[in-house]
Amino acid sequence: QVQLVESGGGFVQAGGSLRLSCTASGRPMSNYFMGWFRQAPGRERDFVAQISAGGAVKYYGDSVKGRFTISRDNAKNTMYLQMDSLKPEDTAVYYCAVREGGTYYSFRNYQYWGQGTQVTVSA
């Protein structure tokens, strides 16, 4: 069984930065795609970013391109999301997730999820 724990969320003013971490346990993550999603109240869970098992291939949602950077350290079984130039519309609960196959942008293809961490960006 895989457990994922996110950390690093918080409250920040627009234009600021936060760095989220997702630490996995129960299984080495070095063979899995990992991703970040976010969900604001009343909205579906939206794709933010995904990184391949080795870290070479990265995809980003259109709304975060150029501002967010996904990375991973397989030796630490940890994935990161560096969020810069934050905007109020980035306010959401951010989830990390692991998938074994399927398209990267659909949350339905991710089998394991963390509990989420709140990010709030004030104007």
Side-chain angles (χ1 to χ4, degrees):
Q1 189 66 288
V2 175
Q3 282 99 34
L4 303 172
V5 178
E6 302 97 336
S7 61
F11 185 92
V12 65
Q13 289 188 328
S17 298
L18 283 173
R19 188 193 195 206
L20 305 184
S21 298
C22 171
T23 300
S25 61
R27 196 182 298 180
M29 289 292 104
S30 54
N31 292 327
Y32 295 93
F33 297 93
M34 297 184 74
W36 289 96
F37 286 78
R38 65 187 183 187
Q39 189 165 20
R43 297 194 57 163
E44 275 202 346
R45 198 163 290 192
D46 291 330
F47 170 73
V48 174
Q50 186 247 225
I51 188 167
S52 61
V57 180
K58 303 174 185 180
Y59 296 108
Y60 295 93
D62 288 341
S63 61
V64 307
K65 280 180 185 175
R67 299 187 299 122
F68 290 11
T69 303
I70 190 171
S71 62
R72 66 191 295 166
D73 185 340
N74 285 338
K76 296 181 179 179
N77 237 22
T78 300
M79 175 179 64
Y80 305 97
L81 185 69
Q82 177 66 41
M83 305 187 295
D84 298 317
S85 303
L86 282 161
K87 304 175 181 179
E89 49 264 43
D90 294 319
T91 295
V93 177
Y94 283 70
Y95 298 90
C96 69
V98 173
R99 74 179 173 89
E100 297 174 341
T103 54
Y104 65 86
Y105 50 81
S106 174
F107 69 87
R108 295 176 177 84
N109 292 328
Y110 289 74
Q111 287 75 35
Y112 304 103
W113 292 86
Q115 82 289 349
T117 185
Q118 177 71 46
V119 171
T120 303
V121 184
S122 66

